[in-house]
Amino acid sequence: MIKSKHIFKTLISSAAVFFALSQAFSVENGFLLTNDSKIANFEKDGSLKLNQKNGVNFWLRAPLNEEGTSYFAGEAAFQTGYDTNETDSDKKLKLFADLNLFKFVFKNELESGNLQFSLGRFFNSDITGIVYAQNADGVKFDANVSKIALSLYGAYTGLLNAKNITILEPTSPDLTDKEKAVYVLANKYAVAGLTFSLPHFAASQTVSLEGFAALSLESTKYNRFYGTFALNGPIVSPVFYNISSTMGFAKYDEGDMEKGNLSKVSISVYPDFKSMSLSLSGTYASGNQGSFKPFQGFTSSTSVNSLLEPEYSGVLKAGLSATIKPVSNFLLSAGGDVIFTALGGDESDKIEQAGFQYSAGFNWQIVSDVSLSTAFTQYIGKEDYENIIGANKTQLKISAAIAF
């Protein structure tokens, strides 16, 4: 296994290569300084405590053809954090380094569309944005030709930094003894995806089908397969809808194959006023309903802003959200959700109301290179479901970024 200190040296070397390239060729490059301050209660009835993160990112983009449609893009990151919630003083300081992006893109324009091939480390997401949404080392081929869109994706996760991405497992990996390491190798998976879409195939409606697989390369196997159907488009302008349903199949070692479901629906209105948007949405991730078992995605994703921050598994939520730009560089947002648990109650298949959450915030692009944002969230739930959904939580997050 590659040791973390060797990987850290590789990251430093990559950053040096980035810098050398930026000096040798006509490329875009720069630095981004970030600060994230989160104040929240990290235990039931606990006082608010600070979790502080500071980061520096170096990025560059180099064209590979005269048009700039083919290019190389890279980004290296280093982050420090201070968590006052930790009782052990040696664990309060958090460090990690990562190579967030290292991608070659080759694009070919055709009369009827375009072809694009990507190679390296880059971010990719499934249709839902919940099942799989993360970086990985791999390849992707996109074809948009004659009103047909096709995407092929394949990647490997074993060289990612486990301190920067969480892959869902039956038992979470313990990183306690690796607090001082800046780079910890993630679990090994081979992932593959195939997406087929017909954009605007009828009345401006788009239909999509996607298959996704995650195969464990460890001695203990946890293999997952997903199939998604999605439909979206306008109902009548300016009202749009988005519907998707995902069937997930998971098999842990020698156990039986279990199936679950993730379904999403949203209706959004975009009035012609101050870039306003209004959305009504619902998300269901199965628990123990009929033949369904608790749904399990691949990439960790928080479904409820409670203390437990549960995954999209055994939960149903429905909510309203809105955004508006009173001025061009200032975005206001607010929303609220009613939360239901699909795992609680005397009968395992019952779906019962467990609490609600609300949020409010803003994003201010002060100047082109300086931004400031805040987000206030609060979850208020019933005590009966604290061991499933989580106890009440209040959180304020303030983020700032400066680009050079």
Side-chain angles (χ1 to χ4, degrees):
M1 179 180 290
I2 302 175
K3 295 184 178 180
S4 61
K5 66 178 182 180
H6 292 157
I7 295 180
F8 182 61
K9 289 180 180 179
T10 301
L11 291 172
I12 297 299
S13 299
S14 298
V17 171
F18 290 167
F19 182 77
L21 284 173
S22 69
Q23 302 305 307
F25 301 98
S26 176
V27 302
E28 299 177 2
N29 65 86
F31 288 89
L32 180 68
L33 301 179
T34 60
N35 175 279
D36 294 305
S37 300
K38 183 170 67 176
I39 302 172
N41 60 303
F42 293 92
E43 58 186 31
K44 182 182 177 182
D45 301 324
S47 59
L48 299 179
K49 294 185 178 180
L50 174 67
N51 185 304
Q52 177 79 26
K53 292 181 180 179
N54 299 285
V56 56
N57 292 35
F58 173 74
W59 62 270
L60 68 80
R61 179 185 171 108
L64 299 177
N65 61 2
E66 293 182 0
E67 297 81 9
T69 54
S70 297
Y71 61 89
F72 166 78
E75 179 182 314
F78 180 77
Q79 181 175 287
T80 65
Y82 187 77
D83 189 354
T84 58
N85 187 52
E86 293 283 2
T87 56
D88 189 341
S89 59
D90 290 338
K91 297 180 180 179
K92 289 182 181 292
L93 181 64
K94 312 288 185 180
L95 301 172
F96 88 80
D98 208 350
L99 189 62
N100 293 333
L101 180 66
F102 194 93
K103 179 173 71 169
F104 292 89
V105 175
F106 303 94
K107 191 171 184 178
N108 186 19
E109 297 288 349
L110 307 175
E111 289 186 3
S112 58
N114 61 75
L115 304 175
Q116 180 171 298
F117 179 75
S118 302
L119 169 69
R121 174 171 294 185
F122 54 91
F123 180 88
N124 192 51
S125 172
D126 76 305
I127 292 177
T128 70
I130 292 177
V131 174
Y132 181 91
Q134 65 174 74
N135 283 341
D137 300 306
V139 297
K140 186 177 183 181
F141 174 74
D142 295 291
N144 292 277
V145 182
S146 300
K147 297 183 179 180
I148 295 176
L150 179 68
S151 177
L152 295 170
Y153 174 71
Y156 174 68
T157 66
L159 297 177
L160 299 175
N161 190 348
K163 301 185 77 171
N164 198 25
I165 186 68
T166 301
I167 297 172
L168 295 178
E169 298 278 352
T171 56
S172 300
D174 185 8
L175 301 179
T176 304
D177 61 338
K178 300 176 181 178
E179 290 287 342
K180 298 298 184 182
V182 297
Y183 206 107
V184 180
L185 290 176
N187 286 342
K188 304 177 182 67
Y189 279 88
V191 296
L194 170 62
T195 308
F196 174 80
S197 297
L198 295 174
H200 312 297
F201 78 101
S204 297
Q205 310 300 302
T206 296
V207 62
S208 301
L209 295 172
E210 182 175 70
F212 200 89
L215 303 176
S216 175
L217 303 178
E218 307 280 359
S219 56
T220 301
K221 305 297 183 183
Y222 185 40
N223 297 325
R224 282 159 279 184
F225 308 89
Y226 306 92
T228 300
F229 171 79
L231 188 65
N232 64 80
I235 299 175
V236 57
S237 183
V239 182
F240 296 80
Y241 75 96
N242 196 319
I243 299 172
S244 70
S245 185
T246 302
M247 289 299 300
F249 301 88
K251 189 176 187 300
Y252 180 65
D253 234 8
E254 300 302 322
D256 296 332
M257 183 75 75
E258 296 183 346
K259 66 178 180 180
N261 177 260
L262 172 73
S263 293
K264 298 175 61 182
V265 59
S266 67
I267 297 176
S268 301
V269 184
Y270 302 93
D272 187 16
F273 177 74
K274 301 291 187 181
S275 301
M276 178 185 288
S277 71
L278 301 169
S279 296
L280 172 65
S281 63
T283 303
Y284 164 72
S286 64
N288 295 300
Q289 284 74 54
S291 61
F292 288 153
K293 297 298 182 182
F295 181 82
Q296 184 77 86
F298 184 83
T299 306
S300 178
S301 182
T302 299
S303 63
V304 181
N305 296 317
S306 63
L307 278 183
L308 285 182
E309 297 185 344
E311 304 292 336
Y312 280 90
S313 181
V315 66
L316 167 66
K317 66 178 183 180
L320 287 166
S321 62
T323 64
I324 188 171
K325 283 186 174 183
V327 292
S328 61
N329 64 338
F330 195 87
L331 176 69
L332 288 171
S333 61
D337 300 289
V338 181
I339 309 298
F340 300 83
T341 175
L343 295 173
D346 297 330
E347 300 177 23
S348 61
D349 62 347
K350 293 183 68 175
I351 297 178
E352 299 180 338
Q353 200 265 326
F356 69 93
Q357 64 183 11
Y358 65 91
S359 63
F362 71 81
N363 188 301
W364 183 18
Q365 192 71 39
I366 302 173
V367 293
S368 60
D369 296 331
V370 180
S371 64
L372 176 68
S373 64
T374 67
F376 177 82
T377 62
Q378 188 170 41
Y379 171 76
I380 301 174
K382 298 179 180 179
E383 291 185 4
D384 293 346
Y385 304 107
E386 288 182 352
N387 63 329
I388 300 173
I389 298 296
N392 297 346
K393 183 178 181 180
T394 300
Q395 178 177 290
L396 173 65
K397 184 177 180 179
I398 301 174
S399 300
I402 303 176
F404 296 92

